[in-house]
Amino acid sequence: MDSFDLSLLAPEITGAHAQFPGALEACADLGALNRLKGAYTGREGSFSAQLMERLKAAPKDQKRELGVVINALKSEWESALKARQAQLEAARKAGGSASSAWDATLPPPIPPAGALHPLNRLMARLVEVFRPLGYHVEEGPEVETEEHNFDGLNIPEDHSARGTADTFYLAGHAHLLLRTHTSPVQVRVLKRLAPELEKKGGIRFLAPGRVYRKDEIDPTHSPMFHQVEGMLVGKGIGMHHLKGTLAYAMKALFGEGADVRFRPSYFPFVEPGCEMDVRCPLCSGAGCRVCKGSGWVEILGAGLIHPNVLRFAGIDPAIWSGFAFGMGVERTAMMVSQTPDLRLFFENDQRFLKLMGGLD
Ligand code: DAH
């Protein structure tokens, strides 16, 4: 437009023309563009309409020159408006936000990414706590044999856990079942490593995984849940090793202030057997709903490996001894995150899973 003599025009018009490129750029959608179009080229009251009035009223000898300037202005506005309209329509079709031109300096949008489930994160953390102590990770099948799930663990023939009321057996396969705990991994690993035990000097492993029991679903029960099994075999291993290891692990997991206590208990595959409680993280021991007023929450069963378990795997209990433990993952996750209902962990509500980011 610089080639035209704008001084013939009213200052409002030259001002409006100067602002036009910026105003056009600022139109983020077709609605805004239409408003701008109305203001510049509309039939009534627009800058174009004012210019036509001006032309009509101009003295004869100015009309020609003025007409050229006015036409040039109007057609510049019209073609720029048209181009912007095409741009905005294309952006809308592409589903983009139809703001100004593409800005290569903006950071790229971050696509939503997957993340570890809070239960898997807790298990992974436990593995990381034990790894520096020389424990590796073992896995066993979720469909197990009676031999590994019960026989090898010194569980008597008439034990109630073997019944069809508690355990899922596979239809048509009398001795196959869904493992009721992670303890059968003990039997598998002991049998596998028995021949090289002397050479290796011992065994240390963790076995995290899913387990199944015929429990009705309620706020603290689910037919599928998770455990982490731990085991150490060596020479001259006693309760002091078990207590020291677990007390250390709980401090590493929950912080230096974590306090533990051991209570005698019974499991067929350990002797002596015990349960371990941690000081309630919610009330610090004062007593609350989470710890049912006791100040302590049970998180695992443990004990010294029963000689029959070692014998079953072909290991001489006169030479070797060890400890084992089995921790309930949901129970621990519920306690540390103060989640009142276990089902929340399985429903995959994104809001809950995001909140649980705090478990890390
Ligand atoms: N397997 C037991 C359960 O499911 C937990 C357990 C207790 C595991 C004592 C152990 C142990 O290794 O020594 O309830």
Side-chain angles (χ1 to χ4, degrees), residues 180-181 183 186 213 227 229-230 267 269-270 301-303 324-326:
T180 59
H181 49 180
S183 303
Q186 293 186 16
R213 286 181 202 172
Q227 291 185 334
E229 196 79 11
F267 301 96
F269 32 94
V270 283
F325 59 89

Side-chain angles (χ1 to χ4, degrees), residues 1 5-21 39-41 45-55 66 69-74 77:
M1 267 315 292
D5 185 3
L6 291 173
S7 66
L8 288 170
L9 304 174
E12 308 93 79
I13 300 288
T14 48
H17 183 60
Q19 281 168 16
F20 181 73
Y40 277 80
T41 62
S46 69
F47 297 123
S48 296
Q50 289 172 42
L51 287 171
M52 294 319 283
E53 301 278 306
R54 168 83 209 281
L55 186 61
L66 197 59
V69 174
I70 289 174
N71 278 337
L73 259 189
K74 277 174 63 182
W77 292 342

